[in-house]
Amino acid sequence: MNASVFDLGHAGLADRIAARLGAARGMLDRRTFPDGEHYLRIGGDRAGHHAVVVADLALPDRHLTATLLLAATLRDLGAARITLVAPYLPYMRQDARFQPGEGVTSRYFARWIDAHFDALVTIEPHLHRYATLAELYSIPARALSAAPLLAAWIRAEAPDGFLIGPDAESRRWTEAVAELAGLPWTVLEKVRHGDRAVDVAVPALPALAGRRPVLVDDVISTGHTMADAARKLVAQGHRPPFAAAIHGLFVEDAERLLRDAGVARVVTCDTVPHASNGCQVDGLLAEALLALDRG
Ligand code: R5P
């Protein structure tokens, strides 16, 4: 593909995508001024080229400004097309005005991306109240499924697994992964009392006896959801659970929390760089970029 692949916070993934596409790696000289403002300089002639920007937008405010500035610079230098690859798409949680006066930040965030990019490729965005990204984004936006990757990992590492979604929102991922893995599954109920306070109701699960519980969710953020479910499963005498998530943000002391709750293994996709990355998404992303290129 005749494109240059730039990266903001996800160099390994950008390297692998560029290799799969047979594309060049974009030359980006980037640093911050002493006051924290970004300095960007792009090498080579970008006029008329397709630029692919692979950005780690988990903990979004860390790379978001630089991502928008990079797109603006590429446009200014004459790039013909700029595609954003955001393996984890942030700001999807606030998909409604739950309280008077709140901002529907998923929409405002989408407007920024629409204004700077010509296309968006992402993996398993948190689509809950929106059915598709087209309800939010006016540029072509592709949401790819990582279910086959997690299913393959679970089939190999937990062939006797019993998949458990910790809350109603996790049903779509749990069901998809379980069906592909050919394993039984169920979904629990969760009440969220605050950002770091959840209560997952774990009923007696006779069908789980002797099998490996595998908790499945789209995101591990603080880890409280997975940890609460794991603790209760262990307390009921089940085997130490595995925790499988598409995106692992692991904010604050999430890893310790999961360990202390008795989680035996954690696996995530490399949408966000982390030691738990056991599923690689470069193949999925490269395929989607090639399909977009073909129109
Ligand atoms: C919520 O609906 C999501 O699917 C996850 O369950 C949630 O983001 C996990 O957050 P935490 O790890 O902070 O409990």
Side-chain angles (χ1 to χ4, degrees):
M1 190 166 129
N2 189 12
S4 301
V5 181
F6 292 86
D7 93 88
L8 284 165
H10 220 328
L13 183 60
D15 285 343
R16 291 191 291 280
I17 291 174
R20 281 184 181 269
L21 297 176
R25 277 292 258 118
M27 286 182 289
L28 174 63
D29 178 13
R30 182 186 170 210
R31 67 181 179 87
T32 46
F33 290 104
D35 60 4
E37 288 185 5
H38 297 278
Y39 169 88
L40 301 173
R41 179 169 173 268
I42 292 165
D45 180 10
R46 300 313 340 136
H49 281 228
H50 178 192
V52 174
V53 175
V54 179
D56 173 17
L57 295 181
L59 315 178
D61 298 342
R62 193 173 50 175
H63 292 301
L64 180 59
T65 310
T67 300
L68 298 179
L69 289 172
L70 173 58
T73 309
L74 286 163
R75 187 79 75 201
D76 202 21
L77 295 175
R81 196 143 54 91
I82 313 173
T83 300
L84 174 63
V85 174
Y88 172 74
L89 190 63
Y91 282 105
M92 289 297 288
R93 230 181 319 226
Q94 196 71 23
D95 54 3
R97 194 185 317 284
F98 301 100
Q99 305 282 338
E102 284 180 356
V104 187
T105 47
S106 52
R107 288 206 176 278
Y108 317 148
F109 180 85
R111 278 184 217 151
W112 291 337
I113 302 302
D114 278 345
H116 287 83
F117 292 90
D118 301 303
L120 164 68
V121 180
T122 188
I123 298 194
E124 305 278 14
H126 190 80
L127 290 169
H128 185 50
R129 285 168 193 85
Y130 303 117
T132 68
L133 287 179
E135 288 179 37
L136 269 178
Y137 287 83
S138 53
I139 54 173
R142 302 271 180 281
L144 312 175
S145 169
L149 301 175
L150 278 187
W153 188 92
I154 292 168
R155 237 189 351 251
E157 303 296 327
D160 60 348
F162 187 104
L163 276 57
I164 301 171
D167 56 26
E169 290 179 29
S170 67
R171 169 178 287 269
R172 55 187 292 165
W173 296 286
T174 309
E175 183 174 11
V177 173
E179 281 186 0
L180 288 164
L183 292 170
W185 63 282
T186 190
V187 168
L188 307 176
E189 277 176 31
K190 173 174 87 180
V191 178
R192 184 173 280 285
H193 301 290
D195 290 339
R196 296 167 190 78
V198 296
D199 187 7
V200 181
V202 181
L205 293 167
L208 177 57
R211 303 188 74 113
R212 171 74 69 186
V214 182
L215 291 159
V216 177
D217 208 351
D218 61 335
V219 187
I220 296 174
S221 180
T222 66
H224 281 283
T225 298
M226 291 284 204
D228 193 58
R231 208 176 294 117
K232 288 169 181 168
L233 286 165
V234 171
Q236 288 188 14
H238 295 295
R239 292 168 66 190
F242 288 177
I246 297 153
H247 311 287
L249 309 184
F250 299 104
V251 302
E252 299 165 356
D253 57 354
E255 288 163 82
R256 186 186 54 76
L257 211 62
L258 293 173
R259 240 187 348 263
D260 291 355
V263 171
R265 289 181 74 181
V266 183
V267 67
T268 58
C269 297
D270 62 347
T271 54
V272 183
H274 187 260
S276 63
N277 293 161
C279 304
Q280 273 69 45
V281 296
D282 50 283
L284 270 182
L285 292 168
E287 234 174 78
L289 288 165
L290 287 169
L292 270 174
D293 207 43
R294 288 191 293 268

